[in-house]
Amino acid sequence: DESRAMAGAADPTMTTDESTDPLMMMAAASGVATLVLASGLAYFMSRRSKVASTKQAEDATQPAIEVLDPAQYPGGHLTIYYGSQTGTAESFAQQIAGEGDDHGFKVHVVDLEDVTEDAAAAADGDLSTAIQAALMDPAKADANGCSRAVFLMATYGEGEPTDNAAQFVALLKDKAGITSNYNFEAELEAAAAKKAAAGSAGEADYGEEKKGEFGDDDNTTTDAAFFNGLSYAVFALGNRQYEHFCAMGKLTDAALGVTGADRLAEVGIGDDDNDLEGDFENWKDTVMWPTLKKRFVAEGAAVEQKKKSKVVGGGVSELPDCPYEVEFLDGIAPAGAKADVVKSDEIHASTRHYFTAVDCPVRVSRELRTEQDPGSTVHMEIDISQAGDDLRYQTADNLGVLPVNDDDVVEAVAGALGYDLDAVFRLKPAPDHEHKHAALFPTPCTVRECLARYCDLTQAPRRSDLKL
């Protein structure tokens, strides 16, 4: 057997993107204001021009507010932020986005890494304020200037934040006066008791933020107004087999609560050791949507439905919006299918490993337990000697393994769907999705390579896929 290896830790759960094409359903697992300065012929005209220009410059710094149709979006804007290592939380975010119109909300899905990176680019020496402004974007606020958000937070490893959420979590801890990822409940309780004692003794307000450098672990005070104007709910993803179960989701919920944000609902808990997707579906359908609609959609408001439909076999079938489309490339032999060069910032965050993985043979696979011992522990040796500089491994590094599907399984799936395994295709952004397109895996490639390397063909499909 051959596997594809990559440097970095692996997550057992991958993500799929929705599509109306069977191949896509499996393969997809994601103004510059012009300032006019008028020149006057007279002094008083010049003065008027300067005043107008100053006002225009101020307006140019303000984000354009997106005015929504109240008939279609009576609930207004809703932003879904996700902290995801390899796609599970992101796929949940996309599910919420797909249902937003039906519930009367204009949903925006945002990678927390994009929040911190964009804030860093915009920050003028004050990253925390830039992140605060990004999360409470006036362009997506309601009439009262308040923003609404749902955070889907996965826990990685032994209670750590996912890579894309690390800087955001550091900010939360800093503003909440938290130093630990695991014992934050005790820290917050101690802080509350200390504040109460200080208040009863007539001391200065304990809740003021201690001046210091962002991310300083010595900061044990709370900025109790930092997220004023933000209404939120949190769903935590984790696995009970780990000691610090759902630590990041619980921390996010607690930290937002003590820094001024308005908690809309109790934190949802998802357990990958049992039924993570079922936990999410239950929370989404019985807690999140009912709470949001009760709070932000006026009683009796009707949601105007706008759905795509397609005639199939004499009937009408509703189709979900798909951000990708397949372009088959006629006349290209399988051996001639060379993947396009894609910039790193144009690659889907959850599938970056597909662009860096290299083929490595498994040389040794040996069971270490006896037949009388339940379970299985396998000694496996993967030969990376031919990978060159594309894959370097040092003792104690993590090695992520991307298995290749069995040829018989690949051929059976292709036969059932009527696909030519040697056909070559390119995955492209669908119309109106060019601005947010991210490559899922290297293309052009053959259907065989797509099914063998980039699709999970042996696990049961997600509930969300079966609803399509």
Side-chain angles (χ1 to χ4, degrees):
D1 291 340
E2 282 194 344
S3 295
R4 305 190 80 199
M6 64 172 183
D11 186 304
T13 307
M14 295 303 297
T15 182
T16 59
D17 289 288
E18 298 176 352
S19 172
T20 60
D21 185 292
L23 172 61
M24 293 278 292
M25 290 174 65
M26 292 183 298
S30 162
V32 178
T34 302
L35 184 62
V36 179
L37 298 175
S39 59
L41 297 177
Y43 175 73
F44 74 92
M45 289 296 292
S46 176
R47 297 271 301 183
R48 291 180 61 187
S49 175
K50 290 179 181 178
V51 172
S53 298
T54 301
K55 181 63 169 62
Q56 286 178 319
E58 292 174 352
D59 292 343
T61 63
Q62 302 300 319
I65 296 177
E66 182 182 355
V67 180
L68 300 178
D69 179 358
Q72 185 178 4
Y73 300 114
H77 293 280
L78 175 66
T79 304
I80 314 300
Y81 298 98
Y82 63 86
S84 181
Q85 195 65 24
T86 58
T88 307
E90 181 184 4
S91 69
F92 289 173
Q94 295 296 345
Q95 286 185 47
I96 295 175
E99 299 174 6
D101 286 8
D102 294 340
H103 294 280
F105 290 86
K106 175 74 171 179
V107 178
H108 313 269
V109 175
V110 180
D111 185 333
L112 280 172
E113 186 172 44
D114 291 340
V115 172
T116 53
E117 287 185 350
D118 291 347
D124 186 14
D126 190 351
L127 179 59
S128 62
T129 301
I131 294 176
Q132 177 192 47
L135 262 65
M136 295 184 288
D137 183 357
K140 297 180 178 63
D142 61 18
N144 298 318
C146 297
S147 300
R148 302 142 191 184
V150 173
F151 294 84
L152 307 179
M153 304 296 293
T155 298
Y156 183 57
E158 297 295 336
E160 301 299 323
T162 57
D163 291 342
N164 74 315
Q167 196 164 21
F168 172 71
V169 170
L171 169 70
L172 282 181
K173 291 169 62 178
D174 182 69
K175 296 304 177 184
I178 294 172
T179 61
S180 170
N181 288 345
Y182 325 121
N183 300 316
F184 54 87
E185 293 100 337
E187 290 186 71
L188 292 176
E189 289 176 3
K194 186 174 180 180
K195 181 179 179 179
S200 62
E203 298 178 6
D205 183 9
Y206 178 72
E208 289 186 1
E209 180 185 9
K210 177 182 176 181
K211 302 297 181 181
E213 188 175 338
F214 168 53
D216 185 358
D217 286 344
D218 292 332
N219 179 16
T220 56
T221 58
T222 303
D223 186 345
F226 189 77
F227 282 116
N228 275 357
L230 177 67
S231 298
Y232 76 97
V234 176
F235 183 79
L237 296 79
N239 188 310
R240 290 189 186 276
Q241 293 293 327
Y242 291 87
E243 178 181 1
H244 304 294
F245 174 57
C246 284
M248 286 302 104
K250 295 174 182 176
L251 184 152
T252 300
D253 177 69
L256 288 171
V258 299
T259 52
D262 174 27
R263 181 185 288 109
L264 296 171
E266 290 300 312
V267 59
I269 301 296
D271 183 10
D272 195 36
D273 191 45
N274 184 20
D275 184 5
L276 176 60
E277 188 173 14
D279 294 336
F280 170 70
E281 292 271 353
N282 181 65
W283 178 82
K284 171 174 63 69
D285 295 338
T286 65
V287 177
M288 188 199 77
W289 283 129
T291 300
L292 290 171
K293 293 169 73 173
K294 182 178 180 180
R295 179 77 174 268
F296 300 115
V297 178
E299 185 175 353
V303 179
E304 182 179 295
Q305 302 294 329
K306 291 185 178 180
K307 291 187 176 181
K308 295 181 179 180
S309 61
K310 179 179 179 182
V311 177
V312 180
V316 177
S317 175
E318 293 180 350
L319 297 175
D321 186 38
C322 179
Y324 301 95
E325 69 177 21
V326 169
E327 176 190 17
F328 282 99
L329 305 177
D330 297 332
I332 298 181
K338 303 298 182 183
D340 296 331
V341 176
V342 183
K343 297 179 181 177
S344 59
D345 59 353
E346 296 176 350
I347 296 174
H348 203 281
S350 299
T351 57
R352 293 183 186 278
H353 43 267
Y354 285 137
F355 292 82
T356 57
V358 294
D359 287 1
C360 297
V362 176
R363 299 298 188 191
V364 177
S365 180
R366 183 172 66 251
E367 176 60 56
L368 298 181
R369 300 193 186 193
T370 65
E371 294 181 357
Q372 292 73 31
D373 188 1
S376 174
T377 302
V378 177
H379 170 88
M380 185 173 291
E381 296 180 11
I382 301 174
D383 184 359
I384 65 171
S385 63
Q386 303 303 311
D389 292 336
D390 292 332
L391 183 64
R392 296 187 178 187
Y393 180 81
Q394 296 180 350
T395 301
D397 277 353
N398 292 320
L399 185 70
V401 177
L402 306 177
V404 178
N405 287 315
D406 185 88
D407 288 342
D408 291 341
V409 174
V410 170
E411 291 171 3
V413 170
L417 296 175
Y419 280 112
D420 177 3
L421 285 170
D422 292 329
V424 177
F425 72 93
R426 174 182 281 116
L427 200 61
K428 306 190 325 182
D432 299 326
H433 288 272
E434 294 85 354
H435 64 291
K436 54 183 177 181
H437 173 70
L440 289 175
F441 51 84
T443 65
C445 70
T446 63
V447 172
R448 183 186 304 276
E449 181 176 2
C450 173
L451 295 178
R453 297 177 181 271
Y454 311 131
C455 300
D456 186 348
L457 303 181
T458 57
Q459 294 284 344
R462 294 181 182 274
R463 291 179 179 86
S464 56
D465 295 329
L466 296 177
K467 291 180 180 179
L468 297 180

